[in-house]
Amino acid sequence: MIEAGGPRRTARVGLAAANPRTAARVRLLAGAAIAVGFMQIACAKVAPATDTTAVRASPPTTVATPASPSTAAADSATQVAMRNVNFYIIPNAALRIRRLRGDFRSLKGGPILFDDKTAFVIDLDYAEIGLNGNDLTTLMNNHIFAYPGAPLKRLKIHTSGSQVVQSGIMHKILDIPFEITADVSVTPEGLIKLHPVKTRILGVNGNDLMRAFNLSLEKILDLSKAKGVTVKGNDLFLDPVKILPPPAITGHATAIRIDGDELVQTFGSIGAKPPLIPPDTSQGAYMYYKGGTLRFGKLLMLDADMEIEDLRPTGFFSFSLDQYQKQLVAGYERTLANGGLLVYMLGVEKLGSSSGAAGPPKN
């Protein structure tokens, strides 16, 4: 990605080679523009940003009196276990689930509706979930800061060793290219803390520049409309469940680490709930649903017992709530002796592949 400041810097190099006096004037004018912008920000008396994001969705506390046994089953939770699943929440952004144990609960009563992402919540008892640079970049640009007048835009995020690097455009009076390198940790409240250790603003030392004008990110950035992001001083705080689009998720982040190109979050504790063992343990990637009532498409499953696997396993199983029907059509299901279902779906990234989908094995 080419930042807005890149071409200008290249132009300066050419000027410097051709005419040192002209290059000096250009640098002086650029510095003056930055100074004027920061002086206007400092005089604007920007109020500290407050987090006005919607309260995290939670299961209803009251349930209507069931009219029949099937309704009672519909209103109960569905236990879930996942392993090695890329769970796509929006196009090009997935929760890279290494392990998950929790429950699916309806927010509207009745069965869990796979066709309505706003109708259920995922309660995490324990989970290890990764987000790579592309996932975070997509979430930042297409969800968290996807509103008119957002203070940050054209964001790009990647990992570097044990740190996270975020670059983009800071919009406040002027559009200013920036790059922030930050340490990552989890607060006792379960928030992801990004603590800047290096800041570059239009190619100069951002820390020195902000100190010179008695500024901080808190004074510069109005994050009141951002989803799940707040700022205090120069530290950014991300609520790991509020920054995500539906379906709603509840859980408490207890640890975070960088593993390769992924920011891996740990929720809860591994012994919070007994293991949920799927019928087929031969595959390393699966989703397993047990109990309650599930509805996907026209299929309604009471007292659910369903395991979903990749039709052509190649590591992680990629699943999308937006495209699961296409994945289902490309695969098949098998009824087990206990009435449960073993469903083989084609990984979402394999849809439309030249090799096509395989049918059920012939006995």
Side-chain angles (χ1 to χ4, degrees), residues 277-307:
I277 309 300
D280 180 12
T281 58
S282 64
Q283 296 296 330
Y286 61 82
M287 301 189 297
Y288 180 45
Y289 300 90
K290 178 72 172 176
T293 303
L294 300 177
R295 181 168 185 173
F296 44 102
K298 295 182 179 181
L299 177 62
L300 185 69
M301 190 174 194
L302 305 178
D303 190 19
D305 190 346
M306 179 176 67
E307 182 178 1

Side-chain angles (χ1 to χ4, degrees), residues 129-212:
I129 300 174
L131 292 167
N132 64 29
N134 181 70
D135 301 324
L136 290 166
T137 296
T138 301
L139 284 171
M140 288 287 186
N141 291 312
N142 298 346
H143 180 67
I144 297 171
F145 292 107
Y147 59 90
L152 300 176
K153 58 185 180 181
R154 285 185 249 167
L155 297 169
K156 187 173 182 179
I157 300 173
H158 68 273
T159 61
S160 177
S162 61
Q163 296 173 323
V164 171
V165 180
Q166 176 176 304
S167 60
I169 300 296
M170 185 184 303
H171 177 74
K172 193 70 178 181
I173 309 300
L174 302 172
D175 278 354
I176 304 173
F178 75 93
E179 182 179 272
I180 296 175
T181 302
D183 288 333
V184 186
S185 61
V186 169
T187 70
E189 297 78 20
L191 302 178
I192 299 173
K193 178 181 178 181
L194 299 178
H195 175 67
V197 295
K198 181 181 178 182
T199 304
R200 305 288 293 176
I201 297 176
L202 202 58
V204 302
N205 189 314
N207 295 327
D208 291 346
L209 194 60
M210 288 192 290
R211 276 196 297 268

Side-chain angles (χ1 to χ4, degrees), residues 114-115 296-297 319-328:
F114 272 54
D115 296 290
F296 44 102
F319 174 82
S320 169
L321 282 171
D322 295 324
Q323 299 193 63
Y324 84 87
Q325 291 196 34
K326 294 179 182 179
Q327 293 183 259
L328 185 60

Side-chain angles (χ1 to χ4, degrees), residues 257-282:
R257 71 184 189 275
I258 292 178
D259 187 359
D261 67 341
E262 288 188 12
L263 193 65
V264 181
Q265 308 157 83
T266 300
F267 293 86
S269 58
I270 195 168
K273 218 166 194 177
L276 188 63
I277 309 300
D280 180 12
T281 58
S282 64

Side-chain angles (χ1 to χ4, degrees), residues 51 62 72 88 115 133 152 245 276 281 290 308 333 336 355 360 363:
D51 185 5
T62 59
Y88 279 85
D115 296 290
L152 300 176
L276 188 63
T281 58
K290 178 72 172 176
I308 302 176
E333 64 275 349
L336 303 176
S355 55
N363 296 324

Side-chain angles (χ1 to χ4, degrees), residues 13-355:
V13 172
L15 286 170
N19 190 330
R21 181 176 298 178
T22 302
R25 289 175 180 173
V26 171
R27 286 194 294 270
L28 180 61
L29 288 173
I34 297 172
V36 169
F38 276 111
M39 287 176 68
Q40 292 183 34
I41 296 169
C43 295
K45 296 181 181 179
V46 179
T50 56
D51 185 5
T52 59
T53 53
V55 176
R56 183 185 314 172
S58 59
T61 55
T62 59
V63 178
T65 302
S68 66
S70 62
T71 305
D75 288 334
S76 62
T78 296
Q79 297 187 70
V80 61
M82 298 187 191
R83 196 169 188 89
N84 297 334
V85 175
N86 291 329
F87 195 96
Y88 279 85
I89 44 179
I90 56 176
N92 300 318
L95 302 178
R96 304 190 184 275
I97 299 170
R98 301 178 177 205
R99 288 186 290 178
L100 183 150
R101 180 73 173 89
D103 297 302
F104 274 38
R105 295 181 186 274
S106 174
L107 290 173
K108 301 179 180 180
I112 307 297
L113 303 175
F114 272 54
D115 296 290
D116 185 357
K117 292 187 286 187
T118 67
F120 63 90
V121 60
I122 306 173
D123 295 332
L124 302 179
D125 292 293
Y126 174 75
E128 281 190 350
I129 300 174
L131 292 167
N132 64 29
N134 181 70
D135 301 324
L136 290 166
T137 296
T138 301
L139 284 171
M140 288 287 186
N141 291 312
N142 298 346
H143 180 67
I144 297 171
F145 292 107
Y147 59 90
L152 300 176
K153 58 185 180 181
R154 285 185 249 167
L155 297 169
K156 187 173 182 179
I157 300 173
H158 68 273
T159 61
S160 177
S162 61
Q163 296 173 323
V164 171
V165 180
Q166 176 176 304
S167 60
I169 300 296
M170 185 184 303
H171 177 74
K172 193 70 178 181
I173 309 300
L174 302 172
D175 278 354
I176 304 173
F178 75 93
E179 182 179 272
I180 296 175
T181 302
D183 288 333
V184 186
S185 61
V186 169
T187 70
E189 297 78 20
L191 302 178
I192 299 173
K193 178 181 178 181
L194 299 178
H195 175 67
V197 295
K198 181 181 178 182
T199 304
R200 305 288 293 176
I201 297 176
L202 202 58
V204 302
N205 189 314
N207 295 327
D208 291 346
L209 194 60
M210 288 192 290
R211 276 196 297 268
F213 291 95
N214 192 29
L215 290 174
S216 65
L217 290 179
E218 183 176 2
K219 293 179 180 179
I220 297 172
L221 300 177
D222 176 10
L223 300 184
S224 58
K225 295 181 181 180
K227 296 178 175 69
V229 182
T230 56
V231 59
K232 186 173 183 180
N234 287 322
D235 294 334
L236 292 171
F237 296 87
L238 283 67
D239 187 317
V241 294
K242 286 186 180 180
I243 63 173
L244 302 175
I249 293 177
T250 66
H252 187 91
T254 54
I256 194 165
R257 71 184 189 275
I258 292 178
D259 187 359
D261 67 341
E262 288 188 12
L263 193 65
V264 181
Q265 308 157 83
T266 300
F267 293 86
S269 58
I270 195 168
K273 218 166 194 177
L276 188 63
I277 309 300
D280 180 12
T281 58
S282 64
Q283 296 296 330
Y286 61 82
M287 301 189 297
Y288 180 45
Y289 300 90
K290 178 72 172 176
T293 303
L294 300 177
R295 181 168 185 173
F296 44 102
K298 295 182 179 181
L299 177 62
L300 185 69
M301 190 174 194
L302 305 178
D303 190 19
D305 190 346
M306 179 176 67
E307 182 178 1
I308 302 176
E309 298 179 355
D310 196 337
L311 180 64
R312 296 203 308 270
T314 53
F316 272 60
F317 167 47
S318 294
F319 174 82
S320 169
L321 282 171
D322 295 324
Q323 299 193 63
Y324 84 87
Q325 291 196 34
K326 294 179 182 179
Q327 293 183 259
L328 185 60
V329 169
Y332 67 95
E333 64 275 349
R334 174 181 293 168
T335 302
L336 303 176
N338 65 351
L341 280 181
L342 184 55
V343 179
Y344 296 92
M345 288 186 180
L346 191 63
V348 68
E349 81 283 3
K350 301 165 189 169
L351 290 174
S353 62
S354 59
S355 55

